Amino acid sequence: MQLYNTLSAEERAELIDQAGKQRLTLSFYAYAKIEDPKKFRDDLFIAWNQLDALGRTYVAKEGINAQMSVPAENFEAFRETLEAYDFMRGIRLNVAVEHDDHSFLKLTVKVRDKIVADGLNDETFDVTNIGVHLKAAEFNQILEDPNTIVVDFRNHYESEIGHFKGAITPDVETFRESLPIINEQLKDFKEDKNLVMYCTGGIRCEKASAYFKHQGFKNVFQLEGGIINYAKQIQEENLESKFIGKNFVFDHRLGERITDDIVSQCHQCGKPCDNHTNCENDGCHLLFIQCDDCKAAMENCCSVECLDTIHLPLVEQVKLRRGIQVGNKVFRKGKSDKLLFKHSGELSNKSLAVANKSSDIRQKIKLKKVLLGNVQHYYVKAQVGLFIIENNELNIGDKILISGPTTGNQELILEKMLVNGNENSVAKIGDKVTFEVPFRVRLSDKLFKIVP
């Protein structure tokens, strides 16, 4: 029974492009008591895999938290897989404002201790005793009340590119940090103020509202469905947006625009900008804001040191990052002394510029590549990889790409190879090929030829 992904991200992206069908990006959560999270996880994976649903989901004894990409034609069938469970009947699915068919390229369903890491002992309060849910119109109205305090329960790199006007935006890197900070900051207002909170999709506020009610706050409110649902409602009901800027999202897009206002700066030059970049250096992957000019000049890097690193031979790069835990952790905390224009904490409500409506969500230029075959073995001491050619031809002088979930994307110029045990300049379908690879390759890796 298949409970894992059989395609690489590159192969999945190509299949999505070939299908030419619209996909919907959506998110949902539900707090509930799940007796057997492992079985729940397995059942969901099997059902979703049959619907070509992709995404990142966490399940725990306290519930489920999911961000998904689903073919539009399978949307209702996907909903049925959820409503098969009593606690998800009638569940709200937060459909994204902006869609990208490549928002997720694999299906991951993981069992965790909690669906939202809070650093708390859950037995100290009832997570279902939550605050009052507010729809967009109600949320706008309560923000006008001078007796209201509004708090952003997201992290600094999220609130920096967009937030509600007048909100408290804690300078934190995790949700668990914000709870005691806000509790201490607002301890004198438990009886007489409206504590109004918001987050991306509602899941963090759901737990935070229960926590603050337990701490003695009398008037606790939360934005129903978070910023994602708010954006949808203000469009449908033609309401004024009290949110200004862009909503950070945890998928390939890294953000979806709510208003045309740009409220943040390029972290390198200070120019108005709200586009996030992950540093190109595989030993860094820092998440930061970078304008198009700096993106071109710095080649997607956060610093001169990282720029120098990506131009080193691959063997040297591997040596430099040996022992550094990076992998696919693309959402690092986004703070570095190299980022001269990074701002956190108390943020301005002032618009620095207006976004160009015609500009699309930025993506790296896609490599034109042809799948050649698979990894069969890696000889560690000799640093030699064995590959089977299953498609096309491989020639000396070809620029190749070895790609996999752990290996990442590694490019080489093929200078020498053995074909079926003998040195040769051409390998054809069915041939076994060996050549030096200065990094470890794995059986899940694919071999591609990069086409000029």
Side-chain angles (χ1 to χ4, degrees), residues 278-288 302-303 306 321 324-326 329 332:
N278 287 295
C279 182
E280 189 72 13
N281 177 14
D282 285 334
C284 178
H285 282 316
L286 184 75
L287 179 71
F288 67 107
C302 70
S303 64
C306 285
R321 63 175 183 263
I324 300 175
Q325 294 183 358
V326 283
K329 294 195 292 185
R332 290 182 59 194

Side-chain angles (χ1 to χ4, degrees), residues 117-370:
D118 53 27
L120 303 172
N121 177 2
D122 283 354
E123 295 179 359
T124 63
F125 70 98
D126 180 5
V127 73
T128 65
N129 182 24
I130 59 176
V132 178
H133 280 211
L134 299 175
K135 297 187 182 299
E138 299 168 322
F139 194 82
N140 279 1
Q141 185 176 2
I142 202 170
L143 293 186
E144 297 297 328
D145 186 340
N147 209 40
T148 291
I149 298 174
V150 59
V151 181
D152 189 327
F153 274 96
R154 300 173 302 153
N155 304 324
H156 63 81
Y157 55 85
E158 300 173 79
S159 58
E160 185 177 9
I161 61 170
H163 48 270
F164 279 96
K165 297 175 182 178
I168 297 172
T169 53
D171 184 13
V172 296
E173 297 184 350
T174 62
F175 170 69
R176 70 174 65 191
E177 293 176 65
S178 62
L179 297 177
I181 290 174
I182 296 301
N183 191 41
E184 175 64 24
Q185 190 171 342
L186 302 181
K187 63 182 179 181
D188 296 330
F189 303 105
K190 294 183 178 182
E191 298 283 342
D192 57 348
K193 294 288 186 180
N194 298 321
L195 175 57
V196 180
M197 57 189 70
Y198 69 91
C199 57
T200 307
I203 186 170
R204 285 176 275 188
C205 291
E206 194 91 354
K207 182 170 280 191
S209 68
Y211 170 78
F212 284 105
K213 287 187 71 174
H214 179 72
Q215 293 297 320
F217 287 81
K218 301 300 182 184
N219 306 305
V220 180
F221 303 85
Q222 67 184 94
L223 179 58
E224 184 180 60
I227 301 164
I228 296 173
N229 197 42
Y230 178 86
K232 182 180 178 182
Q233 289 181 3
I234 62 173
Q235 287 183 354
E236 292 175 346
E237 301 173 29
N238 196 27
L239 301 173
E240 175 191 359
S241 177
K242 300 288 188 180
F243 186 95
I244 182 171
K246 203 174 185 181
N247 181 29
F248 186 94
V249 292
F250 291 86
D251 60 52
H252 173 78
R253 299 169 298 155
L254 296 180
E256 54 183 17
R257 186 158 298 289
I258 308 301
T259 71
D260 294 332
D261 304 284
I262 296 176
V263 298
S264 52
Q265 297 171 282
C266 171
H267 287 162
Q268 292 175 318
C269 73
K271 188 183 300 180
C273 177
D274 55 12
N275 291 318
H276 277 99
T277 293
N278 287 295
C279 182
E280 189 72 13
N281 177 14
D282 285 334
C284 178
H285 282 316
L286 184 75
L287 179 71
F288 67 107
I289 298 174
Q290 187 177 49
C291 70
D292 288 335
D293 290 339
C294 290
K295 192 176 183 71
M298 297 294 293
E299 299 179 43
N300 287 30
C301 291
C302 70
S303 64
V304 173
E305 291 82 357
C306 285
L307 180 60
D308 291 341
T309 297
I310 67 170
H311 288 291
L312 292 173
L314 186 57
V315 177
E316 295 300 317
Q317 292 187 47
V318 173
K319 286 181 180 178
L320 285 174
R321 63 175 183 263
R322 192 164 290 156
I324 300 175
Q325 294 183 358
V326 283
N328 60 356
K329 294 195 292 185
V330 295
F331 298 116
R332 290 182 59 194
K333 303 308 179 185
K335 288 187 177 181
S336 167
D337 57 9
K338 302 291 192 298
L339 304 178
L340 301 180
F341 294 90
K342 165 68 181 172
H343 301 295
S344 297
E346 188 173 342
L347 302 175
S348 171
N349 297 323
K350 182 181 178 182
S351 176
L352 303 178
V354 176
N356 183 354
K357 292 184 179 180
S358 63
S359 62
D360 296 325
I361 298 172
R362 298 186 310 167
Q363 300 180 7
K364 293 180 183 179
I365 298 173
K366 294 181 180 178
L367 290 173
K368 292 183 179 180
K369 59 186 184 296
V370 175

Side-chain angles (χ1 to χ4, degrees), residues 38-53:
K38 173 65 166 59
K39 184 179 184 305
F40 181 56
R41 177 264 173 204
D42 292 349
D43 291 344
L44 287 179
F45 192 101
I46 292 169
W48 291 351
N49 193 50
Q50 292 173 350
L51 298 175
D52 193 25

Side-chain angles (χ1 to χ4, degrees), residues 14 367-373 391-393 399-401 446-451:
E14 289 176 6
L367 290 173
K368 292 183 179 180
K369 59 186 184 296
V370 175
L371 178 65
L372 294 176
N391 181 52
N392 217 282
E393 286 187 356
K399 188 173 185 179
I400 59 174
L401 170 72
K446 305 292 183 183
L447 175 65
F448 297 87
K449 179 194 294 188
I450 296 176
V451 181

